[in-house]
Amino acid sequence: MKIIKILSLSVMVALIATCCVTKSKYKELDAKYQKCTEDLNYTTSEKIDFENKSKDLASEVAALKIQIQNLKEDTSSIRRRVRIIERQLDKTKGDYDELLKSFTDQNITKNALLAEKEARLNELQSILDQKDAEVKALRNKVANALKGFEDMGLTIYEKNGKVYVSLDEKLLFASGSWDIDSKGKEALTELGKVLANDTNINVVIEGHTDNVPYRGSGYIKDNWDLSVMRATAVVKELLKNKEINPQRISASGRSEYVPIDNEDSKEARAKNRRTEIILTPRLDELFQIIDSQ
């Protein structure tokens, strides 16, 4: 509108200029013309500013459009990644659930096996406790049966779940002999009574000598022979009790090689010349449990 107004004024000035006007009127028109020129220049300057701003806004709009497009592309990419991650998450959750189920099943099986193992161990411990009680009871029975012979060279003790009845040479044999004397026979008779009443005892007879070489003649030539003969002599004496099953008894000679005193003295050699009767409660039930493990 300002431009139209300015043009109208310019036309009027041109018309007036061609006509006869007064000096004052001319000045008035010239002033208006100058004012219109200034307005035109100002308007032109504003137009240029607006055009520049329009260009800047157009550039910003173009940049924003590019940003919007980039955001759209980023959004699409993020959505694709989210879908991929969701699928991976679903698979991972499925694998976890399967693993958890497998672990739970294995844990249940393991707990069942542990419970079974614990039950067997408890059963085993119960049997061991029972056998320990039986060994102590056996020791007491033997001690009561042989209490009159303890001052004659007889010793009773427990070792490794067994009862040992150790008889010195002086209680059973004369030096270098394997013939049992009367006191020894009495002791073996009393022990035989205990063995006859308790059929769950296995018996091992071990003959021991000192380290002095045996100088014999005939078929007894050394300490090996002497230790074996003494062990078998004790076996035969025990088996005079017909209620004892011979299958429960075994004999062995150990010669001089399992001493209880290693000193080279008269007292040590006397200790080593002995016969040991080893009594062991039968452990069939225990062995059955061990074999089933």
Side-chain angles (χ1 to χ4, degrees):
M1 294 297 293
K2 283 185 177 183
I3 294 173
I4 295 172
K5 184 178 180 182
I6 290 170
L7 291 174
S8 299
L9 289 174
S10 297
V11 172
M12 289 177 65
V13 169
L15 290 174
I16 292 170
T18 58
C19 301
C20 294
V21 293
T22 63
K23 186 176 182 179
S24 60
K25 189 68 176 178
Y26 175 79
K27 288 182 179 178
E28 180 183 353
L29 292 173
D30 185 60
K32 288 182 180 182
Y33 172 76
Q34 294 297 328
K35 179 69 171 61
C36 289
T37 301
E38 291 175 0
D39 289 342
L40 177 62
N41 291 335
Y42 176 78
T43 302
T44 302
S45 176
E46 280 190 335
K47 178 178 177 293
I48 293 171
D49 289 341
F50 285 142
E51 288 175 349
N52 290 335
K53 288 181 181 180
S54 177
K55 290 179 181 179
D56 292 339
L57 289 173
S59 297
E60 290 181 7
V61 169
L64 288 173
K65 287 181 178 180
I66 292 173
Q67 290 182 6
I68 291 172
Q69 183 63 32
N70 291 338
L71 288 173
K72 288 181 178 180
E73 293 176 356
D74 290 344
T75 301
S76 298
S77 176
I78 290 172
R79 286 175 178 173
R80 288 194 297 271
R81 290 173 58 189
V82 167
R83 286 195 293 271
I84 293 172
I85 292 172
E86 286 176 345
R87 287 195 294 269
Q88 292 176 344
L89 179 61
D90 290 340
K91 183 178 183 304
T92 301
K93 185 177 183 302
D95 293 342
Y96 172 78
D97 292 340
E98 187 67 24
L99 182 61
L100 181 62
K101 182 178 181 301
S102 176
F103 174 78
T104 302
D105 293 342
Q106 290 178 4
N107 202 34
I108 292 173
T109 302
K110 183 178 179 181
N111 289 339
L113 291 174
L114 287 175
E116 182 181 357
K117 182 74 71 175
E118 184 177 0
R120 289 184 177 181
L121 288 175
N122 290 337
E123 184 181 3
L124 181 61
Q125 185 61 52
S126 176
I127 293 175
L128 287 173
D129 293 341
Q130 179 183 348
K131 295 305 178 185
D132 288 342
E134 290 178 1
V135 169
K136 287 180 173 57
L138 176 61
R139 183 188 184 285
N140 292 334
K141 289 179 185 178
V142 173
N144 290 332
L146 302 177
K147 60 184 178 182
F149 301 91
E150 291 180 350
D151 294 334
M152 300 180 185
L154 183 146
T155 305
I156 302 170
Y157 61 94
E158 291 179 41
K159 180 181 176 182
N160 298 328
K162 302 174 184 179
V163 176
Y164 284 72
V165 181
S166 181
L167 301 99
D168 292 349
E169 179 189 58
K170 64 182 181 181
L171 180 58
L172 293 178
F173 308 105
S175 179
S177 172
W178 57 90
D179 291 327
I180 302 174
D181 62 23
S182 59
K183 280 296 181 183
K185 289 181 179 179
E186 290 179 18
L188 294 175
T189 297
E190 295 302 319
L191 179 59
K193 293 177 182 178
V194 175
L195 299 179
N197 290 330
D198 195 337
T199 59
N200 290 320
I201 301 172
N202 291 325
V203 184
V204 176
I205 314 297
E206 290 185 348
H208 299 266
T209 67
D210 59 23
N211 59 355
V212 177
Y214 179 77
R215 306 298 183 186
S217 59
Y219 57 88
I220 303 298
K221 302 187 182 303
D222 53 25
N223 283 331
W224 280 111
D225 293 339
L226 179 61
S227 64
V228 171
M229 290 300 294
R230 286 181 169 180
T232 55
V234 171
V235 169
K236 291 175 182 178
E237 188 65 30
L238 287 173
L239 290 178
K240 288 180 179 179
N241 187 327
K242 301 303 180 182
E243 296 182 17
I244 299 176
N245 186 344
Q247 293 179 346
R248 297 166 52 195
I249 301 180
S250 61
S252 65
R254 308 302 298 272
S255 187
E256 65 200 65
Y257 298 104
V258 190
I260 56 176
D261 193 333
N262 290 309
E263 294 293 327
D264 188 15
S265 65
K266 179 179 179 181
E267 291 77 11
R269 288 191 290 272
K271 291 179 183 178
N272 293 333
R273 295 191 299 269
R274 69 199 189 279
T275 300
E276 290 186 337
I277 303 173
I278 305 170
L279 309 177
T280 307
R282 295 177 63 180
L283 302 176
D284 296 349
E285 186 178 4
L286 178 62
F287 291 146
Q288 288 176 0
I289 294 177
I290 293 175
D291 290 340
S292 67
Q293 298 299 314

